[in-house]
């Protein structure tokens, strides 16, 4: 994870420096030019098996468990999970707009997802939380990205799982892959908010091999 973050920081620095050049604050050549980036490999072939999920889950506290369950059951991105809000609950549906794409989404409050929302609301009531955000910390305040990241790293380490084997972003891939296998590609695509099933196909095809039956 560190080498990817380093690449992002180099890009951010380079962008900020270029803006400074445009605004006339400096005429020095961008020092990020020629800096070798760390090699990044995609995680399309990473699938989080239930046993691995459960291992981390067992080492997590309520805050992280709420977050992990929400991300997996909804199939949404990190940012949308953090911004999930009580005001998104309308007539038995969780209704929101994806931050990255701006696409409106609606998820029925049913099954395990519906039970999760009830559990979260009850925990918030017990904490006398005043925020409308759904993912809250032990004090009832809206959980931050850093809080979730710190808790996840700790739970993953306690579970004895390598950082390359399980990252939070993998839960969206697990959700898509599991949904596609249980239903079909179109249903998985709709849950993730993809406009084209081709995007979903690229997203899930390498995570698990196609399930087949033996010769006999």
């Amino acid at each position: 994870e560190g080498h990817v973050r380093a690449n992002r920081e180099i890009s951010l620095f380079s962008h900020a420096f270029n803006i400074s050049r445009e605004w006339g604050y400096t005429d020095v050549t961008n020092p990020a030019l020629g800096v070798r980036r760390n090699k990044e490999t995609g995680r399309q072939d990473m699938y989080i098996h239930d046993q691995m999920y459960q291992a981390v889950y067992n080492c997590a506290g309520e805050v992280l468990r709420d977050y992990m369950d929400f991300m997996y059951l909804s199939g949404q991105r990190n940012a949308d999970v953090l911004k999930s809000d009580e005001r998104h609950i309308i007539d038995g549906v969780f209704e929101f707009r994806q931050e990255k794409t701006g696409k409106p989404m609606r998820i029925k409050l049913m099954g395990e997802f519906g039970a999760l929302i009830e559990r979260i609301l009850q925990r918030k009531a017990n904490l006398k939380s005043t925020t409308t955000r759904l993912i809250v910390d032990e004090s009832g305040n809206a959980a931050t990205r850093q809080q979730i990241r710190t808790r996840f790293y700790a739970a993953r380490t306690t579970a004895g799982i390598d950082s390359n084997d399980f990252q939070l972003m993998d839960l969206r891939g697990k959700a898509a892959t599991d949904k596609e296998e249980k239903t079909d590609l179109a249903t998985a695509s709709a849950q993730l908010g993809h406009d084209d099933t081709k995007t979903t196909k690229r997203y899930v095809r390498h995570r698990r091999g196609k399930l087949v039956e033996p010769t006999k």
Side-chain angles (χ1 to χ4, degrees):
E1 298 175 359
H3 67 285
V4 175
R5 188 177 304 116
N7 286 346
R8 300 297 175 269
E9 290 176 355
I10 292 173
S11 296
L12 177 61
F13 173 81
S14 179
H15 175 71
F17 199 91
N18 286 336
I19 293 296
S20 296
R21 284 172 54 86
E22 289 179 12
W23 291 353
Y25 292 125
T26 181
D27 58 1
V28 177
T29 301
N30 189 333
L33 289 177
V35 175
R36 181 178 297 177
R37 304 305 203 261
N38 295 305
K39 184 177 180 179
E40 295 184 29
T41 55
R43 296 187 62 80
Q44 287 83 2
D45 60 343
M46 300 300 296
Y47 176 77
I48 306 305
H49 290 274
D50 292 344
Q51 295 93 327
M52 187 181 293
Y53 180 97
Q54 196 62 46
V56 174
Y57 194 86
N58 290 341
C59 297
E62 288 185 308
V63 181
L64 182 58
R65 287 183 177 186
D66 285 350
Y67 185 93
M68 289 175 64
D69 283 344
F70 198 108
M71 188 173 187
Y72 172 64
L73 294 172
S74 69
Q76 300 308 305
R77 298 178 180 86
N78 289 328
D80 293 319
V81 176
L82 275 179
K83 291 186 176 181
S84 60
D85 199 288
E86 291 181 19
R87 292 170 294 184
H88 295 155
I89 301 173
I90 304 171
D91 297 330
V93 172
F94 187 76
E95 189 169 341
F96 66 103
R97 189 175 294 274
Q98 289 184 328
E99 180 178 279
K100 181 178 180 179
T101 65
K103 184 173 183 177
M105 296 285 298
R106 294 191 300 160
I107 304 175
K108 293 181 180 179
L109 296 182
M110 59 181 292
E112 292 185 36
F113 182 65
L116 169 65
I117 298 300
E118 291 183 8
R119 185 184 87 200
I120 289 175
L121 293 176
Q122 183 59 57
R123 190 169 82 84
K124 289 187 63 182
N126 293 338
L127 292 171
K128 296 181 172 55
S129 175
T130 57
T131 180
T132 55
R133 292 289 173 85
L134 289 175
I135 308 300
V136 298
D137 62 19
E138 294 84 355
S139 299
N141 299 316
T144 66
R145 182 182 296 271
Q146 186 58 48
Q147 285 178 319
I148 295 298
R149 183 184 292 119
T150 299
R151 285 162 172 75
F152 178 70
Y153 290 171
R156 185 177 60 190
T157 299
T158 302
I161 296 174
D162 189 89
S163 62
N164 290 323
D165 294 334
F166 189 176
Q167 297 179 17
L168 277 174
M169 68 178 72
D170 296 329
L171 289 178
R172 180 167 158 87
K174 175 176 174 58
T177 304
D178 290 355
K179 190 71 173 183
E180 190 270 341
E181 187 166 290
K182 292 177 182 177
T183 56
D184 53 51
L185 187 63
T187 302
S189 182
Q191 181 177 348
L192 267 63
H194 290 158
D195 290 325
D196 193 328
T197 56
K198 291 181 180 179
T199 303
T200 314
K201 187 174 183 179
R202 292 196 300 269
Y203 201 87
V204 306
R205 65 177 178 176
H206 297 304
R207 295 187 186 267
R208 298 188 85 177
K210 185 174 180 60
L211 184 64
V212 298
E213 296 182 355
T215 305
K216 293 184 179 180

